[in-house]
C-alpha cells in the first residue's frame, strides 16, 4: 500500500486550540435536525428521485417530526425547482416546517433559487455555499484567498438584494470543505458574512461547517468546531451547524463530538445516504440519544415503515446490520448472547410484575440490547434466531415464545445437540417452524410399540386400574398407594419392562383452553438416560403417552431402581 503518497491532515490544517473543553462535556439535549435527503441524498443517487418519490419522502420527514427540511437544489434541477413550486402552491408543508433551498454562490443561480420560493408560505432558508479549502481554491476555482472572499461577499450581497426585506427568509452560508480550510481564513470569511447579513439573536444566520470529505479523526473536527464556536464575532447571532460526511466511517462520531464542541444544528440523511460513502446518519444520531435517555424529538416508533419508505425512494436497501434499523440489528444467533438476552427479558418482566407496572415503564437493562426493540415498533419475535452457532437458551426461547413450550434445562441441553447437528447439515438458519418439526421428530414421533399397549385405565378415587395389552393377552394392574404415572410404571414392571422416571415436566402447546398438554419425560433404562414426550388433550393422557413411548424403547430386562429419595414426585 503506497501510504507515503498521502499527507497527514496536520500537514494541511493546524487548529490553534490547546485548552479544548469538549472532552469533558456530555450530551444533554437533541440538536436541531435538518434532513438533506431531498437535496444532498438525492444528488447521490444513480437515479434521482422522481416527483412522486420526492413527495413521499418529504411526507415521511414531516410525519417523523422534522421542522426544517432541505428540499432541493432548484437552480441545478428542473425536478427540484418544480418540487419547490409544488410546496408554494399546496399545503404539503405544515406551517411550522421551514423549507431550505440550496445554491452555489453565483448570481444567476441565486436568482433562480429565490424565484423558486416565490409564494412559499412557510419560513424559508436560502443556503449559499462555496468551497474554501486550498486544493479547491487552486484546482477547482482558480482563485486566491482574497479573490474568493470577494466572490463570497458578492454572493451574500446578491442574496440580500434579491430577497429584499422578506422577514420569512433566513440566510445560511456553508464554506464547503470547511475541515480542510485554514482556521483563520474560514473564520474571517464567516465573520464577514454575518456582518454583511447583520446576524442578531432575533434573526440569526446559520453558519454550516461541513466535513465535506472526512480526512481526520473525529477529535480534530471537534477542535475545529470549538475554535469557531469560541471565536466567531457574532456568536449569539449565529446558529452553528455541521454537515459531516462519512469517508472514514466516523461521520456519526464527528457529529456527536461537534455537538459537544458547540454545534447546535446537524445536517444529514436518514440512514446516511449521500455522495461517496454517505452523509452522517441522523437516524443513528437520534437513536443514540434515545439510548442515553435523551428525547431525540423525532418519532422512530415505526422504524420498519420508515425503512421501507426510504428504500423505495432511494432505491437502496438498508444493510441488515445497520444500527437500529437493519433486519438483524436486534438479532442474536450466538448461544452466549441468546442466553443473556433470554434471562434479561425474563428478569425485566419479573421486575415489572413485582412493581405492578407495565414492562414498557420499567428501566431497560437487558444484555446486548441497548434499547427495547418495541420502542421502534418491533416485536421480540426476531430477537433470537437459531443457526449452528446457537445454544440451548435460544432454542428454548423460540419454542417458548412461538409455541408456549417450556423446556427444562437438561432437555434444552439434549435437544440443542440435535439442533446443532441439523443446522450443521443444512448450513442455514433454523426457523421456529423447523425447530418444532425437529422437536416432534425427536421426541414425539417414535412409535409406541404394539407389543405392549395401554389398553385402558380407570381411576376410582385413589384406586387406579391399568390394563395393558400384549397381543391377545391383557395385564391388569391395580394400585392405591401410587400416583398415576408411578402406577403405570409399576404395571409395566409387572409386564417385564422396567424403567426409571427421572424427571417429569408439564407444559402446553399454545395457549387457551384448546391448547394440548405436553409431558416431557426424562427416564433411564439399562441402555442409559434419555428424554421423550407425550401429547394429548389432557395432562394425564399426555403423561401416559410419554411413559408408553419410553417403555417402547426399553428392553425387557431389569434396570437398577433409584432409592426412594431420588425419585421424582409423580
Amino acid at each position: 500500500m503506497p501510504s507515503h503518497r498521502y499527507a497527514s491532515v496536520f500537514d494541511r490544517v493546524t487548529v490553534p486550540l490547546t485548552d479544548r473543553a469538549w472532552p469533558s462535556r456530555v450530551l444533554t439535549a437533541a440538536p436541531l435536525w435538518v434532513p438533506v435527503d431531498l437535496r444532498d441524498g438525492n444528488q447521490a443517487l444513480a437515479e434521482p428521485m422522481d416527483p412522486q418519490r420526492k413527495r413521499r419522502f418529504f411526507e415521511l420527514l414531516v410525519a417523523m417530526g422534522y421542522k426544517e427540511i432541505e428540499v432541493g437544489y432548484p437552480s441545478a434541477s428542473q425536478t427540484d425547482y418544480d418540487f419547490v413550486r409544488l410546496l408554494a402552491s399546496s399545503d404539503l408543508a405544515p406551517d411550522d416546517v421551514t423549507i431550505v433551498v440550496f445554491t452555489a454562490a453565483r448570481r444567476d443561480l441565486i436568482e433562480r433559487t429565490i424565484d423558486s420560493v416565490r409564494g412559499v408560505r412557510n419560513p424559508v432558508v436560502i443556503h449559499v455555499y462555496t468551497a474554501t479549502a486550498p486544493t479547491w481554491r487552486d484546482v477547482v476555482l482558480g482563485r486566491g484567498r482574497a479573490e474568493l472572499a470577494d466572490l463570497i461577499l458578492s454572493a451574500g450581497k446578491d442574496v440580500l438584494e434579491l430577497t429584499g426585506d422578506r422577514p420569512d427568509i433566513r440566510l445560511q452560508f456553508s464554506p464547503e470543505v470547511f475541515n480542510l480550510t485554514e482556521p483563520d481564513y474560514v473564520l474571517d470569511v464567516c465573520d464577514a458574512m454575518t456582518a454583511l447579513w447583520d446576524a442578531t439573536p432575533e434573526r440569526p444566520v446559520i453558519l454550516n461547517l461541513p466535513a465535506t470529505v472526512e480526512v481526520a479523526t473525529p477529535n480534530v473536527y471537534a477542535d475545529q468546531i470549538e475554535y469557531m464556536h469560541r471565536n466567531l464575532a457574532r456568536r449569539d447571532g449565529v446558529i452553528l451547524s455541521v454537515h459531516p460526511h462519512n469517508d472514514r466511517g466516523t461521520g456519526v462520531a464527528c457529529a456527536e463530538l461537534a455537538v459537544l464542541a458547540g454545534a447546535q444544528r446537524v445536517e444529514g440523511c436518514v440512514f446516511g445516504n449521500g455522495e461517496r460513502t454517505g452523509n452522517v446518519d441522523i437516524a443513528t444520531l437520534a437513536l443514540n440519544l434515545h439510548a442515553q435517555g435523551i428525547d431525540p424529538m423525532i418519532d422512530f416508533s415505526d422504524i420498519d415503515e420508515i425503512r421501507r419508505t426510504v428504500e423505495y425512494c432511494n432505491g437502496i436497501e438498508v444493510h441488515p446490520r445497520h444500527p437500529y434499523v437493519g433486519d438483524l440489528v436486534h438479532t442474536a444467533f450466538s448461544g452466549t448472547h441468546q442466553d443473556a438476552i433470554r434471562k434479561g427479558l425474563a428478569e425485566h418482566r419479573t421486575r415489572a410484575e413485582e412493581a405492578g407496572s407495565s414492562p414498557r415503564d420499567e428501566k431497560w437493562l437487558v444484555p446486548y440490547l441497548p434499547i427495547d426493540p418495541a420502542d421502534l415498533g418491533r416485536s421480540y419475535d426476531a430477537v433470537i434466531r437459531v443457526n449452528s452457532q446457537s445454544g440451548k437458551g435460544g432454542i428454548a426461547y423460540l419454542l417458548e415464545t412461538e409455541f408456549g413450550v417450556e423446556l427444562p434445562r437438561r432437555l434444552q441441553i439434549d435437544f440443542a445437540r440435535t439442533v446443532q447437528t441439523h443446522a450443521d447439515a443444512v448450513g442455514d438458519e433454523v426457523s421456529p417452524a423447523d425447530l418444532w418439526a425437529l422437536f416432534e421428530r425427536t421426541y414425539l414421533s417414535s412409535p409406541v410399540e404394539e407389543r405392549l399397549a395401554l389398553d385402558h385405565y380407570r381411576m376410582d378415587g385413589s384406586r387406579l386400574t391399568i390394563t395393558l395389552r400384549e397381543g391377545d393377552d391383557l395385564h391388569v394392574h391395580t394400585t392405591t398407594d401410587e400416583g398415576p404415572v408411578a402406577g403405570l410404571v409399576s404395571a409395566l414392571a409387572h409386564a417385564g419392562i422396567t424403567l426409571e422416571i427421572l424427571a417429569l415436566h408439564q407444559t402446553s402447546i399454545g395457549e387457551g383452553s384448546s391448547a394440548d398438554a405436553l409431558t416431557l419425560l426424562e427416564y433411564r433404562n439399562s441402555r442409559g438416560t434419555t428424554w421423550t414426550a407425550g401429547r394429548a388433550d389432557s395432562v394425564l393422557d399426555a403423561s401416559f403417552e410419554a411413559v408408553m413411548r419410553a417403555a417402547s424403547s426399553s428392553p425387557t430386562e431389569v434396570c437398577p431402581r433409584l432409592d426412594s429419595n431420588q425419585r421424582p414426585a409423580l
Side-chain angles (χ1 to χ4, degrees), residues 127-145:
H127 180 183
V128 182
Y129 81 96
T130 301
T132 54
T135 300
W136 276 253
R137 294 197 307 259
D138 298 342
V139 175
V140 181
L141 302 173
R143 296 174 186 266
R145 285 173 51 142

Side-chain angles (χ1 to χ4, degrees), residues 101 262 266 289 299 305 342-343 366 379 410 513 565:
V101 286
V266 177
L289 291 176
D299 184 2
E305 177 58 27
R342 182 175 65 90
K343 290 174 179 174
V366 176
S379 69
R410 289 197 300 278
S513 58
N565 62 357

Side-chain angles (χ1 to χ4, degrees), residues 497-502 522-530 549-560:
I497 296 178
T498 304
L499 63 138
E500 290 290 341
I501 307 300
L502 304 179
E522 185 181 28
Y523 67 96
R524 184 175 69 183
N525 57 29
S526 60
R527 294 173 180 168
T529 300
T530 190
R549 185 167 281 114
S552 297
S553 64
S554 299
T556 55
E557 52 198 12
V558 175
C559 169

Side-chain angles (χ1 to χ4, degrees), residues 3-177:
S3 302
H4 63 279
R5 300 173 58 212
Y6 303 100
S8 164
V9 68
F10 298 108
D11 294 337
R12 293 177 278 177
V13 176
T14 301
V15 185
L17 186 71
T18 57
D19 58 341
R20 57 191 59 81
W22 62 261
S24 61
R25 295 183 182 138
V26 295
L27 298 174
T28 58
L32 303 172
W33 302 113
V34 183
V36 295
D37 297 84
L38 300 178
R39 192 273 297 176
D40 202 342
N42 192 40
Q43 289 173 271
L45 300 176
E47 180 187 342
M49 286 180 263
D50 57 27
Q52 178 188 9
R53 288 187 295 159
K54 194 149 188 159
R55 176 170 181 159
R56 182 167 172 182
F57 209 136
F58 180 82
E59 290 172 335
L60 170 71
L61 297 173
V62 169
M64 292 172 68
Y66 289 106
K67 300 302 182 184
E68 188 173 345
I69 302 171
E70 190 166 272
V71 299
Y73 197 158
S75 65
S77 162
Q78 186 63 44
T79 300
D80 280 15
Y81 183 91
D82 292 343
F83 185 72
V84 179
R85 297 309 304 148
L86 172 65
L87 297 178
S89 61
S90 70
D91 59 358
L92 194 58
D95 293 341
D96 61 347
V97 171
T98 296
I99 302 303
V100 185
V101 286
F102 185 78
T103 180
R106 206 175 79 195
R107 185 177 177 92
D108 60 324
L109 302 181
I110 294 170
E111 287 176 343
R112 174 86 168 154
T113 302
I114 294 173
D115 181 65
S116 73
V117 298
R118 179 177 27 87
V120 172
R121 294 180 295 278
N122 297 75
V124 172
V125 171
I126 305 296
H127 180 183
V128 182
Y129 81 96
T130 301
T132 54
T135 300
W136 276 253
R137 294 197 307 259
D138 298 342
V139 175
V140 181
L141 302 173
R143 296 174 186 266
R145 285 173 51 142
E147 192 178 6
L148 182 62
D150 288 342
L151 181 150
I152 293 169
L153 286 173
S154 177
K157 292 172 185 176
D158 290 337
V159 171
L160 282 179
E161 175 193 337
L162 295 167
T163 56
D165 297 326
R166 285 182 58 178
D168 59 325
I169 288 184
R170 293 189 294 120
L171 306 179
Q172 173 175 343
F173 171 63
S174 286
E176 190 188 7
V177 211

Side-chain angles (χ1 to χ4, degrees), residues 393-451:
I395 294 165
Y397 175 86
L398 286 182
L399 287 178
E400 182 175 351
T401 56
E402 294 289 330
F403 303 102
V405 174
E406 299 179 7
L407 301 186
R409 187 174 184 277
R410 289 197 300 278
L411 180 53
Q412 292 177 25
I413 296 169
D414 188 79
F415 186 44
R417 289 192 288 265
T418 302
V419 173
Q420 290 207 319
T421 300
H422 172 79
D424 282 332
V426 300
D428 200 359
E429 181 183 348
V430 182
S431 70
D434 294 335
L435 274 182
W436 180 243
L438 196 58
F439 181 88
E440 286 187 309
R441 192 159 62 245
T442 305
Y443 301 108
L444 285 167
S445 297
S446 58
V448 176
E449 286 200 26
E450 292 299 324
R451 67 183 176 91

Side-chain angles (χ1 to χ4, degrees), residues 213-228:
V213 181
E214 194 183 26
V215 294
T217 50
N219 61 295
V220 175
Y221 189 52
D223 282 353
Q224 293 172 316
I225 298 302
E226 184 167 334
Y227 173 79
M228 296 293 288

